[in-house]
Amino acid sequence: MGAWEGRAVRKSYAVPLGLLGAGAATFGYASVIERNWFRLRRFDVPVLPPGRPPVKILHLSDAHLTPGRSRLIHWVRSLDALEPDLVVNTGDSLSHRDAIGPFLDALGPLLDRPGVFVYGSNDLFSPVLKNPLRYIWRTSKSDYGRSRREPDLPYREFGSALQAAGWLDLNNRIGRLKVGELDVEFGGIDDSHIDRDQYDRIAGPVDPQADVHLGVMHSPEPRNLDRFTADGYDLLLAGHTHGGQVCVPFYGALATNCGIDRPRVKGLHKHQGSWLHVSAGLGTSPKAPMRFCCPPEASLLTLVPRK
């Protein structure tokens, strides 16, 4: 083979090898670095009556915890230093049947603070291997069909442990807590992604005697958001979307995995007359352990008086 032919052969391999190397580097960054690059997001939410003191809410979601995620466990535990007045967990906390103990360890001193929770689908059903590209053209709701009717994760034991610490179970329930100096009314629903939501069980106008009204759910489906807003809830909290999990720079999320529109896949936004906060979540499914342009997060929401 002549020198010219040798250079041509080397060039023919250079492009695919370069692309392969770039892909491997991107996957390594997404699965090792960004997946463990935890962020705290802060928002002020003007929902309190005039003259009321601010209240801090720590919003946790979508930890998808498996034993051994020590970085995640230690980071969540450190959030107690924020001294939140209330902790709201919007589900998908587990991804392994042995994850209850590690998750309670992650909460640590946060369990001594007022808290509320709802379930997500992955608190009931362990993750399965699937093609993540399918999220672009459909949601994962159809993955929970006849073949997966019976939960295989100990979600009842998990809920009992949180209740034993004094946290309110808001799965299709209304609750009330004293948070700081505020009387807070809650309405919550189980996960609509697997058709466990029963809004009719909590339907009706909020109690005007409460200082503020919070709606809690896992998946931010517009049909439920509309009902929470119509009933008078001031702030709605949800997770599930992972913020898109894999995002494109200058474009954002490719998919939301539910009915919410892409611009509201994470962060604080308005929904008709209510505020809506969607957490991008703390983790990923163990079967798709990567994040790109969407770091894992928790949020500190400071409720302040309306202007």
Side-chain angles (χ1 to χ4, degrees):
M1 181 183 297
W4 182 87
E5 292 174 308
R7 286 195 297 270
V9 170
R10 286 195 294 272
K11 287 182 179 179
S12 69
Y13 282 105
V15 172
L17 287 175
L19 291 174
L20 182 62
T26 300
F27 178 79
Y29 164 80
S31 60
V32 177
I33 297 176
E34 186 165 320
R35 179 173 174 245
N36 292 293
W37 193 3
F38 304 108
R39 302 282 185 86
L40 179 71
R41 291 161 64 89
R42 298 173 183 262
F43 299 96
D44 288 346
V45 192
V47 294
L48 298 184
R52 293 292 186 172
V55 165
K56 294 187 292 186
I57 298 177
L58 179 63
H59 183 187
L60 306 176
S61 196
D62 297 271
H64 291 276
L65 194 63
T66 55
R69 296 266 348 248
S70 58
R71 289 176 182 267
L72 173 56
I73 291 169
H74 293 155
W75 190 79
V76 171
R77 193 178 181 90
S78 74
L79 296 176
D80 185 66
L82 299 170
E83 298 185 339
D85 300 293
L86 172 71
V87 183
V88 176
N89 179 16
T90 50
D92 272 6
S93 304
L94 312 178
S95 278
H96 192 282
R97 63 171 44 256
D98 296 328
I100 294 178
F103 190 80
L104 297 177
D105 183 49
L107 292 177
L110 290 169
L111 285 171
D112 295 329
R113 301 184 181 277
V116 300
F117 70 95
V118 293
Y119 296 129
S121 59
N122 286 130
D123 293 317
L124 284 74
F125 297 96
S126 57
V128 296
L129 189 64
K130 65 187 77 170
N131 177 7
L133 294 178
R134 293 187 301 172
Y135 289 107
I136 296 175
W137 64 84
R138 71 169 180 82
T139 74
S140 61
K141 185 170 185 174
S142 59
D143 296 339
Y144 301 92
R146 293 184 178 182
S147 63
R148 304 204 78 192
R149 286 183 178 275
E150 293 299 322
D152 63 340
L153 292 182
Y155 73 98
R156 290 191 179 90
E157 291 86 341
F158 177 54
S160 295
L162 293 177
Q163 287 180 280
W167 285 24
L168 291 184
D169 178 350
L170 292 180
N171 289 286
N172 302 318
R173 294 176 181 173
I174 290 175
R176 202 91 166 226
L177 281 177
K178 187 75 171 178
V179 178
E181 297 181 17
L182 297 181
D183 176 14
V184 182
E185 182 181 32
F186 300 89
I189 52 173
D190 207 334
D191 191 6
S192 59
H193 202 59
I194 49 175
D195 295 324
R196 291 175 63 94
D197 56 318
Q198 299 178 41
Y199 194 93
D200 286 345
R201 292 180 59 180
I202 67 166
V206 296
D207 183 352
Q209 298 302 312
D211 294 309
V212 68
H213 313 88
L214 305 185
V216 182
M217 71 209 84
H218 178 63
S219 180
E221 289 294 347
R223 59 184 170 82
N224 286 322
L225 298 178
D226 291 347
R227 297 190 72 178
F228 275 114
T229 297
D231 281 341
Y233 287 87
D234 302 295
L235 171 62
L236 316 179
L237 298 109
H240 176 68
T241 66
H242 296 194
Q245 188 164 322
V246 174
C247 298
V248 176
F250 309 110
Y251 179 79
L254 297 174
T256 68
N257 197 28
C258 64
I260 197 74
D261 48 300
R262 283 195 318 103
R264 296 189 297 167
V265 71
K266 65 180 178 181
L268 184 68
H269 301 276
K270 290 291 288 186
H271 185 83
Q272 300 172 15
S274 304
W275 287 96
L276 166 66
H277 181 259
V278 180
S279 172
L282 289 159
T284 68
S285 167
K287 306 299 183 181
M290 67 182 79
R291 280 181 175 260
F292 188 74
C293 293
C294 187
E297 68 177 41
S299 296
L300 189 69
L301 308 175
T302 301
L303 308 189
V304 298
R306 303 182 188 93
K307 297 180 180 179

